[in-house]
Amino acid sequence: EYNRYFFVHNILLRATMAHDNDDEPPLVLDGTLLAKGDVGYEEARCRNFAQNAHHVGNDNNNNYPSYVAIVKSIEDVQKCIQYASRRGLKVTVRSGGHNWFGCYLRQGVFLLDVSLLNKCDVNADERTATVGPACDGDVLNAAASQHGNLCFPSGHCVGVPLGGFLLGGGLGWYFPRYGYAAEHILQVTLVDAQGNLVVANDQNEEDWMWLARGSASMFPGVVVEFKVLLHPKPTLIRSRTSFFPVDRYPLIVRKFHEHATGAGGNYSDKLELTLNLASTPPPLAEAAGIKDPKLVMVIETWMAESEDEFQQLTKRFWGDMAMDGDLASLALLPLSSLGYEEFDSFQGLSKMLAPAFPPGQHWICRALMYDSSAIDLTTQSSSAGSDIDLDAVTKTFVEEAPLGLSHAMLAWCPKRQTTKPGCYGKYCSKGFVVLVLGVHDGKGDQGQQAQQYVDSMMKVLDDDDNNNERVWKYDALEHPLNRDTFHKSFDGKETREKLLQLREEVDPERLFFDPCS
């Protein structure tokens, strides 16, 4: 549909060239070059917002690149880089646009769109896949499953291309077991700031591999191809959603924290768990018979190798959650629960989540990651030294979250050291991720209400501003940064300093846009 649009407007049929500088040789591409004012420019500029409906209420939608280039080949990428360099234009890159903040939309830049570089070749014998940056994670998993009963820890939402997902580290399916998806990158092929083609792996061009694992929008190049490691698909994949009264949120979070960090080490790396304060998505509410507009939604997703293992894991998990000397077992009985649903693939799980992210909505999102070893979870708002005041979090949600789809999601991520060197630091996780989303339909003052809710929640969750070292990842470099918040985006001073040093070495003219500027 996207290509047909430009065909109708004769964009792909005409000579594609820049036309506002007579001294500059024309830039002729196999793909399409659009300058501001051209037919099709606005559609190309905002394509991610229409496709993913995750446009955030910030100023990025008002940023206009000087050019948008939709490339069809590696040669196109090289030509674009050299052209932008000659004209003194900063470069941003978009592989698919699945991004809360539209970080690639910057005023006056050369936006390089690689959405047509979507190859997907699976080698089942080697358990590898070679993919373009625009290859959809669901497409990769479908091919991996078909050719060898294999899988890859792709993104949770439907339609997440692998380019930005992998460069950002990648918190994908089965994260407790696989860690960052970027750990499973075997090789990258990229175009650097001089227009050179570079092939990097752990034995050659190691600095580029380090950057490719987690530098996100600060990656100083254009990846045109990834080679990734695939894994045997779990024998059994099941998920269930349970609903609890909203006032039980502090109790549920604290109980799970105790369960996961206790002396017994009871947390299973075969469980993905999210504890949500949610305005219930209508399809789920209808299926579960839920009438309360705001409640706790617990989503448990299990990956097991047998029915017996699954039964043992779930029995132990819910038994430990409900039984405690100071807690009546009835306190954790849910209002309602959907039964366990079986899935044959990760792409099936992504489709399960789709009703929570319908098209046509506007999203305002902030993200934090906490170090659980330093976290004191309390339900007492007056407790001194408390890191997360769960009562205050619940109160803010109840009083300020817009009705509909706004929620606050806490996803548990057990402490796990990374297996490959990368910009993400030494740990895949140290505790849990908190994602706060304000949702509105763009009408009236709903956007302002959603923004106020998100701001209030962030103040409760991170009230120490930039000095809170407990929070080791902040907004995942998707939100426009500045030097005051940069230190929160990477795990440790050494990692941050190395990133800035390598950017200076490989891109001394600073061709690629610096999101911290």
Side-chain angles (χ1 to χ4, degrees), residues 173-191:
W173 286 112
Y174 217 172
F175 178 78
R177 171 61 63 89
Y178 294 139
Y180 278 126
E183 293 184 74
H184 311 286
I185 300 174
L186 300 175
Q187 183 169 286
V188 294
T189 303
L190 63 106
V191 176

Side-chain angles (χ1 to χ4, degrees), residues 4-285:
R4 190 177 301 135
Y5 176 88
F6 288 107
F7 180 84
V8 170
H9 291 85
N10 291 320
I11 298 299
L12 293 179
L13 295 180
R14 68 177 173 87
T16 307
M17 61 184 66
H19 46 69
D20 61 348
N21 187 336
D22 293 337
D23 297 330
E24 176 66 41
L27 174 58
V28 180
L29 303 175
D30 295 329
T32 305
L33 180 67
L34 296 167
K36 187 177 179 181
D38 285 348
V39 175
Y41 169 86
E42 184 62 13
E43 172 72 10
R45 182 184 78 92
C46 292
R47 184 173 60 84
N48 75 301
F49 301 139
Q51 175 179 311
N52 296 318
H54 286 184
H55 170 41
V56 221
N58 61 29
D59 293 335
N60 271 2
N61 191 35
N62 296 319
N63 287 334
Y64 290 85
S66 294
Y67 298 97
V68 179
I70 300 104
V71 298
K72 295 181 68 174
S73 64
I74 293 175
E75 291 74 18
D76 274 0
V77 175
Q78 293 175 301
K79 289 179 182 179
C80 288
I81 291 297
Q82 293 162 355
Y83 178 81
S85 179
R86 290 195 302 269
R87 291 181 62 86
L89 295 171
K90 298 292 185 182
V91 174
T92 62
V93 185
R94 176 176 68 195
S95 61
H98 189 97
N99 179 287
W100 295 113
F101 303 100
C103 62
Y104 41 80
L105 281 185
R106 306 292 179 170
Q107 189 68 24
V109 301
F110 191 107
L111 172 55
L112 210 164
D113 184 308
V114 296
S115 59
L116 299 181
L117 304 184
N118 57 3
K119 72 179 291 184
C120 181
D121 296 329
V122 171
N123 186 323
D125 293 333
E126 292 184 356
R127 275 180 40 196
T128 63
T130 303
V131 297
C135 175
D136 189 318
D138 292 337
V139 171
L140 171 57
N141 268 308
S145 179
Q146 177 183 355
H147 292 292
N149 204 33
L150 300 169
C151 68
F152 186 77
S154 58
H156 290 78
C157 295
V158 171
V160 181
L162 291 168
F165 173 73
L166 289 173
L167 289 176
L171 297 176
W173 286 112
Y174 217 172
F175 178 78
R177 171 61 63 89
Y178 294 139
Y180 278 126
E183 293 184 74
H184 311 286
I185 300 174
L186 300 175
Q187 183 169 286
V188 294
T189 303
L190 63 106
V191 176
D192 67 13
Q194 292 74 43
N196 301 314
L197 193 65
V198 179
V199 178
N201 50 49
D202 287 324
Q203 291 75 45
N204 180 58
E205 301 285 357
E206 297 94 330
D207 285 342
W208 276 113
M209 279 297 287
W210 186 89
L211 287 165
R213 295 183 176 126
S215 63
S217 57
M218 291 195 74
F219 186 77
V222 184
V223 175
V224 295
E225 188 176 277
F226 295 91
K227 184 176 182 179
V228 298
L229 178 67
L230 303 176
H231 299 274
K233 190 169 64 176
T235 302
L236 185 152
I237 304 174
R238 287 180 184 166
S239 185
R240 182 174 73 167
T241 302
S242 300
F243 302 91
F244 297 82
V246 70
D247 60 359
R248 293 183 187 172
Y249 185 72
L251 174 65
I252 292 170
V253 175
R254 182 167 54 86
K255 283 300 301 177
F256 181 73
H257 187 259
E258 293 172 0
H259 167 80
T261 60
N266 292 327
Y267 189 91
S268 171
D269 65 1
K270 299 191 175 184
L271 168 65
E272 260 196 41
L273 187 77
T274 59
L275 311 172
N276 297 346
L277 283 165
S279 294
T280 318
L284 284 177

Side-chain angles (χ1 to χ4, degrees), residues 349-390:
L349 287 171
S350 296
K351 291 178 180 178
M352 173 193 71
L353 296 178
F357 301 93
Q361 298 295 309
H362 295 247
W363 303 84
I364 302 172
C365 176
R366 296 291 183 272
L368 298 170
M369 184 171 280
Y370 282 88
D371 179 350
S372 65
S373 63
I375 286 295
D376 168 30
L377 293 175
T378 180
T379 58
Q380 301 298 320
S381 58
S382 61
S383 295
S386 167
D387 293 308
I388 303 180
D389 187 335
L390 296 173

Side-chain angles (χ1 to χ4, degrees), residues 355-510:
F357 301 93
Q361 298 295 309
H362 295 247
W363 303 84
I364 302 172
C365 176
R366 296 291 183 272
L368 298 170
M369 184 171 280
Y370 282 88
D371 179 350
S372 65
S373 63
I375 286 295
D376 168 30
L377 293 175
T378 180
T379 58
Q380 301 298 320
S381 58
S382 61
S383 295
S386 167
D387 293 308
I388 303 180
D389 187 335
L390 296 173
D391 279 340
V393 168
T394 306
K395 183 175 184 291
T396 301
F397 178 80
V398 170
E399 293 180 352
E400 299 191 33
L403 291 176
L405 293 166
S406 297
H407 62 278
M409 179 182 75
L410 188 154
W412 187 262
C413 305
K415 187 170 182 177
R416 178 183 180 279
Q417 286 195 325
T418 52
T419 58
K420 298 287 186 179
C423 198
Y424 39 47
K426 297 178 181 178
Y427 292 96
C428 294
S429 174
K430 297 181 179 181
F432 49 85
V433 177
V434 179
L435 203 63
V436 179
L437 295 102
V439 185
H440 64 97
D441 60 10
K443 298 177 181 179
D445 61 355
Q446 292 185 13
Q448 183 178 353
Q449 293 175 5
Q451 184 68 65
Q452 180 179 335
Y453 155 66
V454 171
D455 291 343
S456 296
M457 287 290 278
M458 292 302 290
K459 181 174 177 56
V460 172
L461 289 164
D462 187 24
D463 58 2
D464 288 335
D465 294 328
N466 299 318
N467 298 317
N468 190 347
E469 290 296 335
R470 299 184 299 270
V471 183
W472 68 285
K473 196 164 188 177
Y474 184 85
D475 279 354
L477 268 184
E478 293 178 334
H479 188 269
L481 293 177
N482 56 54
R483 294 296 173 183
D484 292 333
T485 58
F486 172 67
H487 79 280
K488 283 192 175 183
S489 297
F490 298 96
D491 188 19
K493 181 180 179 182
E494 181 180 344
T495 298
R496 297 189 293 269
E497 290 180 347
K498 181 176 180 179
L499 170 58
L500 295 176
Q501 177 185 344
L502 288 179
R503 274 183 61 96
E504 188 69 26
E505 291 176 5
V506 301
D507 185 13
E509 300 301 320
R510 301 185 179 181

